[in-house]
Amino acid sequence: MTKMADSGSSVEIVEGCRLPVLRKNQEHEDEWPLAEILSVKEVSGRKLYYVHYIDFNKRLDEWVTADRLDMKKLQFPKKEAKTPTKNGLPGSRPSSPEREVRKSLDLNLQSATAPSRGKTLPTPKRKVEPVPLVPQVPPAPPVPSLPTSTEASPAAVFPAARETNAFKSREDHEQISSLTTNGTARRLIPSQPGRKRKANCGPTDEDSQDSSDGIPSAPRMTGSLVSDRSHDDIVTRMKNIECIELGRHRLKPWYFSPYPQELTSLPILYLCEFCLKYLKSLKCLQRHLTKCNLRHPPGNEIYRKGTISFFEIDGRKNKNYSQNLCLLAKCFLDHKTLYYDTDPFLFYVMTEYDSKGFHIVGYFSKEKESTEDYNVACILTLPPYQRRGYGKLLIEFSYELSKVEGKTGTPEKPLSDLGLLSYRSYWSQTILEILMDLKPDNGERPQITINEISEITSVKKEDVISTLQYLNLINYYKGQYILTLSEDIVDGHERAMQKRHTRIDPKCLHFTPKDWSKRGKW
Amino acid sequence: MSKLSFRARALDATKPLPVFRCEDLPDLHEYASINRAVPQMPTGMEKEEESEHHLQRAISAQQVYGEKRDNMVIPVPEAESNITYYESLYPGDYKMPKQLIHLQPFSLDTEQPDYDLDSDDDVFVAKLKKKMEISLLQFEEMIDRLEKGSGQQLVSLPEAKLLLKEDDELIKEVFDYWSRKRKNSKAHSLINIIKQEKRDGSSTSDPYVAFRRRTEKMQTRKNRKNDEASYEKMLKLRRDLSRAVTILEMIKRREKSKRELLHLTLEIFEKRNVMSDYGGEVLAEVLAERALVRPQIIPLVPLTNQYHMDHKDYKSKVSSEKTEVPRQKRKYEKKQKALPLSISAAHHQGPAVFNAKDLNQYDFPSSDEEPQVLGSSEAEEENDPDGAYAFRRKAGCQYYAAHQDRVGAWPWSPGWEGGLAHSRYCYSLTTLTVPRRCQGLARRRLGRGGRVLLDRAHSDYDNVFHELDPKTLDCATKTLDCAPPPSGSCSPAASKFASTSPINTSDRSSSSPPSDLSQILLSIKACRWRHFRPRTLPLHQLDNAHPLFRRLSRSIKRPLTNIGPSAQPLTAEQFQQHQDQLVQMQKEQLEQQQQLQANRATTVSANTLDQASAQFAASALVTTEQILALKTKEELSLGGGVNGILTPSGVYKGLHLSSTASPSLAAPAPPATLSSAASLHPGSATNATPPCSTNSNNGTAHHAGPTTTNATQVPLGNSLRLAVPAGKRVHAPRTLSSAMSASALKLAHAAAAANCQKPKVPSSTAASPLDIVPR
């Protein structure tokens, strides 16, 4: 891999372009994953590009300078009829919205009017595949001269074609970085004029929750997460807050959060550690702290053991705090929606105490009335506290609440990657704990039903099964299902449990569930 | 082995699963191939995210190593935790409370300004401090108020002065600074707030708009019971609040009365001063006088059923009260404590007597607590037998007391009892033709479309009446030809029946009842009792009646005998007859003031009126109109007494048709249009915009609109409606009585004929156009 010294002096890198971008991996080695340009901006004469690394989570998206782009392998936005699922890995979501394509088209159209190029262009309203312009790029040798037949026939005209000649031929010439497993898989799908990016937001044949054809309609009013991204646009796909200062921590947001727009240009957004109010400057924060006398989340403490406490906050009674909490949480939860008010939710904030007060570590929200057995809506450990067992504590607490309620529960879907790992880990440990504690009675093999596991743990039956499956514990042996515990599993579990020094103590929980259905609305 | 020969059963969550250690089952791997029966559970992640590089790596690492290796975790953007000034920023003196923290309600509602001063402000305030006194908090509060006072438009300086309590100079400084800062700021507000949703719905997809209100109800289905309960509660609340309003209104009245009392007392005092009544001699004299006259309590808001009060009495009471007021005052002044409540109540102009209905006037029925409003409670029934039909006063209406001297003067009562009805409309014995038998007592009434309705009355002799054979009656008439001539008035019994309304079944026993059949027969013969029989009436019985009446009797039987309307063309002879009738009718109107009925047959056949006859009819109307005008004056002056009090609506009112004709654009009718025009709409033939039809059907409308009331009633072809534009538009109920003035009908026909240029209008079309009349 050679790094391009000087690239785009003559070439316009527009939104939707794809090219390898340099980044450091966890071992601090250079790698060149394929990335998509989502946005371009100019800061003091230098161009900055907002890139999304394909097949990496959005949270790693960042603004990069031009010298990190590998211009040799630049791919312009291209429209193909492709079903990403069939063709290799579907990759992560981002791909260019319609308007980006159109923008680039306009640019291309402008340059195409030059008399030297004898291109026949369709009417401006038609979307054109900007392939013919690729030869403009002087320092890009792999780009071939395309067959004349494809030049005049943009792919948009043949939306059904799976792979056009143009695409194939170019693909042959491209040397795709070995790190980008499916660089060719992420192509733009031709979308209908006037539609948003619905068409290319994923495998539509598999989950088409939205039948409204991109007509903006209000999302459903239950739950806290969106899996339907029809409301997504380029704004929400990009992080808008650079840095958040919360207490002694500085956090780099992972995702978009609808803090007031005028605050998004600030280098640092200051948050009051206790009431989570957002402030534009340190001075303002100082002033605020003279007036804010909170030293704990403004709710009732329903659990305390050691320094760990849980506070319950009613999203209806304490709107300000709930909204501030949601805004902060949205920075780290991709699928969280803040479309509607916080009224139907309860917020359980986990804190750690020191002489300054009760510091927020993480939280989970919960619908007062869930129609789908959700016992958690959103759950988050703030980044400074991650990977230290707090997440498991939060999850454990959520199931303790369910136990008091006498219900089984499950987290609201979709799960994030980290959410999946955390929950799987919690479920595994919880179930293994039970299985290993089973004592043989009367010399017989100990046995247990899935329902029993579910009842003991308050973990929903489906989650129990999926965990057993994931751990590969279910085996079919001599005409019946059995659960088998391998040595690896047992050892791994014992090691993991040693790390779980902090546990939720049900005796310290002071919680009486309320029947919200009897309280009018929420 | 037959490992694959049987299918693995689905995993049953209720079935116990034995737990084995792998080392106990050395042959387990042999069975591994049939592990497929358990369906793969979804992970719960979005499909495309699930395949993300780092996650897959982490999952596989976990599966390989049993636990996560440090370099295999999912990378996240870094977080810093070494803020140097943190220690100084937050005080470190917080002691953990021993008890679990329980948030007190409202403890969060501190009156702190939301605005936080920034460094620019700091500079400004520091500068300002040299000139005048201002604290940072004070400054923040001012800005906070200015910000919160501004909506789309900024607060102006005068408004700011009202908003802020500081002195003007300071306000001006801060205001100037604020408006400058606000102008330079890109944001909507200096207090940074989350973007609110717009009402027009344009913000549905704005990513910066958050925390929208949930407009729709969530799951009404699930909580339907609950919704009902809350609805009931809302109703109760509304009623309680309206009660509060009522009480407040009453308090207002009371206070007004108090004020008036004060004024009057003052007046008395001044008067005494002028009279030099320092010793109170005059007062004492007046008081002595006063003691003789018992104060009368006049409920100005009378109880529902207590407003029957003689008109004159009422007046005198009012006047006497007026004169008494000052004297009363004096008494009040002297013996404030000893005075009975009733006296003070009497002179208070505000009503001292309230009744339950008044209290309830703002109330709304709710299902649980106020059944009495619905009239279902028995206790209520006793107090208020009229229930839902109880008389209720209307605001702005003047009510007069009932006329004592005209009791029984029902519209259907004969003239000698003060009623308006001709004796033939009174209750009389009635015999039908088709079930040929005597029906007992009934009175005739015109219904819709000229139908004759018989109101039957119950009497104790019904079975006797039923036995009356019309034939015997006939022969009896012949044999008893020499019966004594009818006396001037009916027998007491007959008159009793005559005044018997369907509701009023009171003291019948007082009269001398005819005991048997022959007696009744005799009474009939002697014309003491009227006996009505359609068609078969011997002519000689009606000899003394005018010809029209005969015709009437003929027409009446028609609906009863179900003979369809005849559609013969009108001959000249008939037309002449018709003319005569018209003249006759006018006379009738002037003489008797009673309802007339025109010949229905004529009405229908009038469709074939030619131009000439139309002309005639129109001109006839002109005269009728004049007569009407005369009559109206008469009636208005006469009706004054009756007007105010609501007569039971129904028959009587229905028979009245107010018809003031005024020129109509739509009907280019012959000369008649000069003074008046009415347009008739036969079927769909005409599309002329019909004038608004008015028919004042209730007492209030009668009173309000100076519409001429016309007593002439004409049965009209089945459902012909005449649109009569009135000078003043009275919005009448939809039910237009099908009866209408003969003149108007004539004119209408004329107009129709002229308008449509149709020599013949089929009777069917003329009879059916109910729908096209606008309502």
Side-chain angles (χ1 to χ4, degrees):
Chain A
M1 288 289 146
T2 50
K3 199 175 130 189
M4 281 294 301
D6 178 24
S7 40
S9 55
S10 57
V11 139
E12 189 84 45
I13 297 175
V14 293
E15 291 94 338
C17 289
R18 287 169 178 234
L19 72 177
V21 175
L22 174 70
R23 78 177 288 274
K24 292 249 192 278
N25 68 10
Q26 282 139 296
E27 281 87 35
H28 296 279
E29 299 156 3
D30 286 358
E31 57 180 22
W32 288 85
L34 187 69
E36 182 180 325
I37 307 287
L38 292 187
S39 185
V40 184
K41 73 175 177 184
E42 207 170 298
V43 177
S44 55
R46 280 183 78 195
K47 280 216 163 140
L48 289 177
Y49 302 90
Y50 192 86
V51 295
H52 165 70
Y53 301 102
I54 286 159
D55 278 324
F56 287 15
N57 191 280
K58 254 169 37 176
R59 67 174 77 91
L60 299 179
D61 293 1
E62 57 187 339
W63 289 99
V64 298
T65 48
D67 58 333
R68 283 173 63 182
L69 307 177
D70 183 359
M71 298 300 290
K72 281 183 295 187
K73 293 171 184 166
L74 178 72
Q75 305 164 20
F76 275 92
K78 190 168 175 356
K79 291 179 204 147
E80 320 257 337
K82 255 198 168 191
T83 43
T85 37
K86 301 269 169 67
N87 199 336
L89 293 166
S92 57
R93 213 173 320 103
S95 53
S96 296
E98 175 68 19
R99 58 189 173 95
E100 294 172 277
V101 178
R102 204 172 286 163
K103 218 194 257 173
S104 67
L105 168 71
D106 291 342
L107 285 166
N108 291 325
L109 278 175
Q110 275 173 7
S111 51
T113 48
S116 59
R117 242 158 266 121
K119 288 281 161 289
T120 53
L121 285 159
T123 55
K125 279 195 176 175
R126 251 346 261 198
K127 267 168 278 136
V128 200
E129 184 211 8
V131 169
L133 291 166
V134 173
Q136 277 181 325
V137 187
V143 177
S145 57
L146 295 159
T148 45
S149 62
T150 53
E151 275 181 352
S153 60
V157 181
F158 305 108
R162 295 219 134 196
E163 298 249 316
T164 62
N165 286 342
F167 180 67
K168 265 191 178 156
S169 60
R170 195 169 57 171
E171 191 184 15
D172 292 340
H173 289 269
E174 269 172 0
Q175 319 219 309
I176 290 150
S177 161
S178 59
L179 272 171
T180 61
T181 49
N182 59 342
T184 59
R186 300 296 301 174
R187 297 286 160 179
L188 283 176
I189 299 157
S191 49
Q192 301 304 308
R195 302 254 170 108
K196 284 195 140 189
R197 55 185 291 270
K198 158 118 175 76
N200 50 19
C201 70
T204 47
D205 49 341
E206 281 175 48
D207 51 350
S208 52
Q209 306 105 316
D210 185 13
S211 56
S212 60
D213 266 17
I215 297 157
S217 58
R220 72 196 164 102
M221 274 194 279
T222 53
S224 63
L225 303 173
V226 276
S227 51
D228 162 27
R229 310 298 294 217
S230 62
H231 294 271
D232 229 9
D233 62 8
I234 189 65
V235 179
T236 54
R237 287 174 61 206
M238 287 166 54
K239 306 168 186 181
N240 55 344
I241 309 284
E242 204 166 314
C243 184
I244 286 178
E245 193 174 300
L246 173 76
R248 68 172 82 242
H249 311 291
R250 277 209 179 139
L251 318 172
K252 293 261 186 231
W254 301 356
Y255 308 105
F256 171 86
S257 181
Y259 278 107
Q261 209 160 357
E262 57 269 18
L263 301 179
T264 56
S265 52
L266 300 169
I268 295 176
L269 184 65
Y270 295 86
L271 260 58
C272 168
E273 197 185 4
F274 299 109
C275 78
L276 303 180
K277 183 180 179 178
Y278 43 86
L279 300 138
K280 62 176 176 181
S281 67
L282 189 59
K283 176 76 198 170
C284 288
L285 177 61
Q286 281 168 340
R287 272 304 300 168
H288 168 74
L289 289 174
T290 64
K291 294 178 278 180
C292 177
N293 47 17
L294 272 183
R295 288 295 174 267
H296 56 83
N300 293 334
E301 195 181 10
I302 59 167
Y303 176 92
R304 188 195 290 173
K305 188 175 191 191
T307 56
I308 297 293
S309 290
F310 275 88
F311 289 83
E312 185 187 59
I313 288 123
D314 188 328
R316 195 163 94 124
K317 288 186 189 152
N318 207 330
K319 282 195 206 289
N320 256 331
Y321 184 82
S322 305
Q323 294 188 355
N324 289 340
L325 179 59
C326 281
L327 286 168
L328 174 63
K330 178 67 192 78
C331 291
F332 306 102
L333 297 171
D334 191 12
H335 291 281
K336 183 172 174 60
T337 173
L338 303 187
Y339 196 89
Y340 290 118
D341 57 31
T342 56
D343 289 25
F345 294 98
L346 292 170
F347 297 86
Y348 293 93
V349 179
M350 182 165 76
T351 61
E352 202 167 37
Y353 167 80
D354 71 10
S355 63
K356 304 244 180 210
F358 292 85
H359 305 279
I360 179 169
V361 168
Y363 90 104
F364 66 89
S365 57
K366 178 174 180 166
E367 278 181 293
K368 292 171 181 172
E369 286 178 278
S370 172
T371 50
E372 288 163 277
D373 292 343
Y374 294 144
N375 65 352
V376 162
C378 291
I379 184 163
L380 170 74
T381 309
L382 287 172
Y385 299 92
Q386 283 171 1
R387 299 186 32 72
R388 284 156 60 181
Y390 289 111
K392 215 153 276 166
L393 219 50
L394 279 168
I395 296 173
E396 194 176 1
F397 189 80
S398 74
Y399 282 109
E400 285 303 328
L401 293 186
S402 289
K403 285 178 196 172
V404 176
E405 289 170 349
K407 296 177 189 166
T408 61
T410 186
E412 191 179 325
K413 309 295 180 305
L415 290 174
S416 68
D417 48 358
L418 294 168
L420 179 70
L421 293 182
S422 306
Y423 264 99
R424 265 194 187 159
S425 170
Y426 173 79
W427 290 332
S428 302
Q429 290 178 11
T430 311
I431 291 168
L432 284 174
E433 208 170 23
I434 289 168
L435 295 182
M436 303 209 349
D437 281 358
L438 285 177
K439 296 279 176 287
D441 51 0
N442 303 339
E444 301 236 335
R445 283 265 157 221
Q447 51 183 19
I448 194 163
T449 68
I450 288 168
N451 280 350
E452 279 166 358
I453 298 175
S454 181
E455 274 164 37
I456 296 166
T457 59
S458 270
V459 175
K460 211 181 169 189
K461 197 175 74 186
E462 287 76 10
D463 294 334
V464 174
I465 297 172
S466 80
T467 307
L468 293 174
Q469 230 168 27
Y470 170 75
L471 293 172
N472 208 14
L473 299 187
I474 305 176
N475 281 293
Y476 199 68
Y477 182 73
K478 292 188 177 168
Q480 66 169 340
Y481 283 107
I482 58 163
L483 298 175
T484 54
L485 298 170
S486 71
E487 222 166 312
D488 288 351
I489 293 274
V490 173
D491 291 350
H493 173 70
E494 273 164 359
R495 258 181 285 134
M497 291 314 280
Q498 277 167 15
K499 287 194 205 161
R500 271 181 82 174
H501 30 79
T502 321
R503 298 288 295 266
I504 295 294
D505 185 351
K507 290 194 289 290
C508 297
L509 176 64
H510 301 272
F511 171 70
T512 18
K514 293 175 184 121
D515 185 357
W516 293 98
S517 64
K518 282 191 183 154
R519 313 196 146 216
K521 293 292 154 212
W522 313 300
Chain B
M1 256 188 100
S2 58
K3 263 183 278 179
L4 292 168
S5 64
F6 59 91
R7 273 186 65 174
R9 267 164 281 161
L11 188 62
D12 186 354
T14 57
K15 223 178 163 191
L17 306 169
V19 182
F20 288 89
R21 300 266 170 167
C22 279
E23 53 269 26
D24 301 338
L25 298 169
D27 55 343
L28 182 65
H29 61 276
E30 290 175 33
Y31 296 87
S33 52
I34 46 166
N35 261 340
R36 293 161 296 168
V38 184
Q40 197 66 43
M41 301 297 283
T43 59
M45 276 187 70
E46 291 239 298
K47 276 275 174 324
E48 29 183 62
E49 284 182 352
E50 206 178 330
S51 59
E52 274 170 4
H53 173 71
H54 290 116
L55 176 65
Q56 289 303 323
R57 202 180 56 167
I59 289 172
S60 53
Q62 215 170 15
Q63 278 174 332
V64 171
Y65 303 107
E67 59 178 309
K68 282 174 275 182
R69 265 178 38 184
D70 271 358
N71 60 344
M72 289 299 177
V73 296
I74 294 175
V76 298
E78 72 279 19
E80 248 181 279
S81 296
N82 45 1
I83 305 298
T84 45
Y85 48 78
Y86 175 71
E87 293 300 326
S88 58
L89 204 54
Y90 293 86
D93 52 356
Y94 185 71
K95 276 253 161 57
M96 185 192 265
K98 287 238 166 62
Q99 303 288 314
L100 290 183
I101 294 166
H102 189 85
L103 206 67
Q104 299 304 314
F106 309 116
S107 61
L108 296 173
D109 297 345
T110 49
E111 291 296 309
Q112 300 282 17
D114 283 334
Y115 183 77
D116 298 305
L117 168 135
D118 63 18
S119 26
D120 292 348
D121 302 338
D122 207 15
V123 173
F124 169 75
V125 174
K127 230 187 265 173
L128 203 61
K129 261 184 183 168
K130 288 169 194 161
K131 284 193 276 179
M132 47 193 92
E133 215 162 289
I134 183 171
S135 71
L136 295 182
L137 192 68
Q138 199 183 354
F139 174 80
E140 284 176 341
E141 217 152 276
M142 290 173 81
I143 298 287
D144 198 61
R145 283 187 184 204
L146 288 173
E147 280 295 334
K148 284 173 181 166
S150 314
Q152 293 284 72
Q153 233 153 11
L154 294 194
V155 170
S156 64
L157 186 57
E159 283 170 335
K161 281 179 183 166
L162 289 173
L163 216 59
L164 305 172
K165 47 184 185 280
E166 282 76 12
D167 51 271
D168 280 7
E169 214 175 322
L170 180 58
I171 290 175
K172 186 156 190 338
E173 289 282 347
V174 173
F175 179 81
D176 287 345
Y177 174 79
W178 170 73
S179 31
R180 241 180 299 131
K181 182 166 180 159
R182 182 86 193 233
K183 227 172 260 175
N184 294 333
S185 132
K186 284 168 276 174
H188 314 279
S189 164
L190 295 183
I191 302 171
N192 296 304
I193 44 159
I194 303 295
K195 229 179 183 176
Q196 302 282 306
E197 72 185 302
K198 286 181 195 138
R199 282 200 184 166
D200 55 5
S202 61
S203 55
T204 37
S205 55
D206 186 335
Y208 278 100
V209 174
F211 308 118
R212 294 167 175 85
R213 255 181 297 165
R214 289 163 211 256
T215 43
E216 285 166 53
K217 272 188 180 176
M218 278 178 84
Q219 298 161 17
T220 34
R221 247 230 201 117
K222 269 205 153 180
N223 300 319
R224 189 174 285 164
K225 256 187 202 163
N226 179 28
D227 285 349
E228 264 168 40
S230 46
Y231 176 68
E232 305 262 298
K233 273 181 199 155
M234 292 301 284
L235 280 182
K236 194 163 176 273
L237 184 66
R238 182 159 101 165
R239 200 189 49 219
D240 289 350
L241 286 174
S242 68
R243 280 211 176 129
V245 170
T246 313
I247 289 168
L248 283 174
E249 243 161 54
M250 280 153 61
I251 290 171
K252 200 170 118 189
R253 275 153 140 182
R254 189 190 65 197
E255 295 305 315
K256 268 190 182 166
S257 305
K258 277 190 187 170
R259 193 178 57 181
E260 202 183 352
L261 172 66
L262 188 71
H263 287 316
L264 289 170
T265 313
L266 196 69
E267 209 178 311
I268 292 167
F269 191 79
E270 276 166 5
K271 288 258 163 68
R272 279 181 64 193
N273 192 29
V274 170
M275 289 168 74
S276 315
D277 181 29
Y278 306 117
E281 296 90 350
V282 181
L283 180 69
E285 191 189 319
V286 165
L287 278 180
E289 219 173 279
R290 176 85 185 81
L292 299 174
V293 187
R294 261 195 67 83
Q296 279 158 320
I297 302 158
I298 298 160
L300 289 185
V301 179
L303 294 166
T304 313
N305 293 317
Q306 285 184 348
Y307 73 101
H308 308 287
M309 187 185 283
D310 194 14
H311 190 69
K312 280 174 197 159
D313 277 5
Y314 180 74
K315 268 193 177 165
S316 69
K317 273 175 199 166
V318 169
S319 56
S320 71
E321 189 184 46
K322 269 181 189 159
T323 53
E324 274 165 21
V325 164
R327 274 175 285 173
Q328 251 179 300
K329 278 292 130 62
R330 206 166 290 189
K331 191 173 180 182
Y332 191 81
E333 186 184 50
K334 290 273 169 184
K335 308 177 179 179
Q336 211 159 3
K337 297 249 162 65
L339 202 77
L341 184 74
S342 58
I343 294 175
S344 65
H347 69 240
H348 282 190
Q349 284 301 306
V353 183
F354 286 98
N355 68 2
K357 281 283 172 283
D358 273 352
L359 282 174
N360 279 343
Q361 62 177 330
Y362 291 97
D363 287 1
F364 301 92
S366 88
S367 49
D368 56 343
E369 280 196 22
E370 277 198 285
Q372 72 267 26
V373 177
L374 302 171
S376 60
S377 132
E378 286 194 14
E380 182 69 13
E381 209 82 59
E382 280 168 24
N383 297 334
D384 181 15
D386 291 342
Y389 304 104
F391 173 76
R392 273 163 224 253
R393 284 179 165 260
K394 260 192 184 169
C397 261
Q398 221 182 331
Y399 295 92
Y400 292 97
H403 281 266
Q404 296 296 337
D405 50 339
R406 286 188 65 179
V407 165
W410 306 112
W412 55 86
S413 304
W416 59 83
E417 273 189 22
L420 294 172
H422 190 272
S423 55
R424 64 177 158 274
Y425 295 124
C426 301
Y427 280 93
S428 63
L429 280 177
T430 305
T431 303
L432 295 184
T433 334
V434 172
R436 198 178 162 80
R437 63 181 211 143
C438 182
Q439 295 294 328
L441 291 173
R443 80 184 146 97
R444 276 161 284 154
R445 182 157 63 78
L446 275 177
R448 236 161 66 144
R451 293 174 181 85
V452 171
L453 308 178
L454 289 177
D455 292 336
R456 293 179 59 182
H458 169 80
S459 76
D460 296 336
Y461 311 105
D462 270 356
N463 42 355
V464 182
F465 294 145
H466 291 331
E467 282 161 32
L468 272 176
D469 185 5
K471 274 178 194 160
T472 50
L473 225 144
D474 276 347
C475 68
T477 316
K478 276 167 200 158
T479 49
L480 290 172
D481 228 1
C482 55
S487 55
S489 65
C490 291
S491 74
S495 74
K496 187 50 83 179
F497 285 127
S499 64
T500 300
S501 73
I503 332 153
N504 182 7
T505 51
S506 59
D507 53 7
R508 191 166 296 151
S509 54
S510 63
S511 60
S512 57
S515 50
D516 62 351
L517 207 98
S518 56
Q519 229 179 317
I520 293 169
L521 274 176
L522 270 172
S523 298
I524 293 167
K525 299 290 154 45
C527 286
R528 283 199 301 271
W529 277 34
R530 289 190 166 273
H531 182 221
F532 167 69
R533 272 180 301 166
R535 181 75 168 188
T536 49
L537 269 181
L539 265 179
H540 70 265
Q541 275 200 357
L542 288 162
D543 265 349
N544 47 357
H546 41 79
L548 197 84
F549 191 48
R550 239 174 294 157
R551 202 180 286 278
L552 166 77
S553 64
R554 225 186 300 143
S555 73
I556 281 169
K557 75 133 220 243
R558 185 158 279 129
L560 293 172
T561 49
N562 288 325
I563 294 167
S566 66
Q568 337 160 336
L570 194 71
T571 61
E573 203 181 330
Q574 277 173 315
F575 183 59
Q576 192 57 45
Q577 256 186 332
H578 186 72
Q579 249 177 296
D580 290 340
Q581 281 167 33
L582 273 173
V583 175
Q584 196 70 46
M585 273 162 56
Q586 289 158 26
K587 278 181 188 163
E588 284 263 316
Q589 285 164 8
L590 283 172
E591 286 165 12
Q592 296 182 6
Q593 294 188 15
Q594 66 187 15
Q595 291 96 352
L596 275 192
Q597 297 199 349
N599 190 333
R600 188 185 158 176
T602 337
T603 316
V604 179
S605 56
N607 290 322
T608 52
L609 278 179
D610 59 359
Q611 192 75 23
S613 57
Q615 289 252 354
F616 166 78
S619 60
L621 180 71
V622 179
T623 48
T624 319
E625 283 292 317
Q626 290 160 350
I627 296 159
L628 277 180
L630 274 175
K631 202 185 78 64
T632 307
K633 276 182 205 157
E634 215 174 318
E635 206 174 64
L636 279 178
S637 56
L638 189 142
V642 205
N643 244 348
I645 293 167
L646 268 173
T647 43
S649 69
V651 192
Y652 173 55
K653 288 295 168 191
L655 286 174
H656 272 267
L657 176 84
S658 66
S659 64
T660 324
S662 74
S664 142
L665 291 171
T673 37
L674 292 175
S675 64
S676 63
S679 66
L680 182 78
H681 307 282
S684 51
T686 172
N687 55 0
T689 49
C692 170
S693 62
T694 66
N695 178 17
S696 54
N697 221 2
N698 60 38
T700 14
H702 245 268
H703 203 70
T707 46
T708 55
T709 315
N710 185 1
T712 23
Q713 302 296 322
V714 183
L716 195 54
N718 239 341
S719 44
L720 274 184
R721 287 183 181 219
L722 185 72
V724 188
K728 182 174 176 181
R729 282 193 165 201
V730 181
H731 198 79
R734 290 176 55 161
T735 47
L736 239 173
S737 78
S738 59
M740 59 194 304
S741 87
S743 50
L745 174 76
K746 284 288 139 201
L747 178 73
H749 272 282
N755 202 14
C756 312
Q757 300 294 324
K758 266 188 186 173
K760 268 192 181 183
V761 181
S763 61
S764 58
T765 36
S768 63
L770 205 111
D771 312 340
I772 63 148
V773 179
R775 287 152 196 177

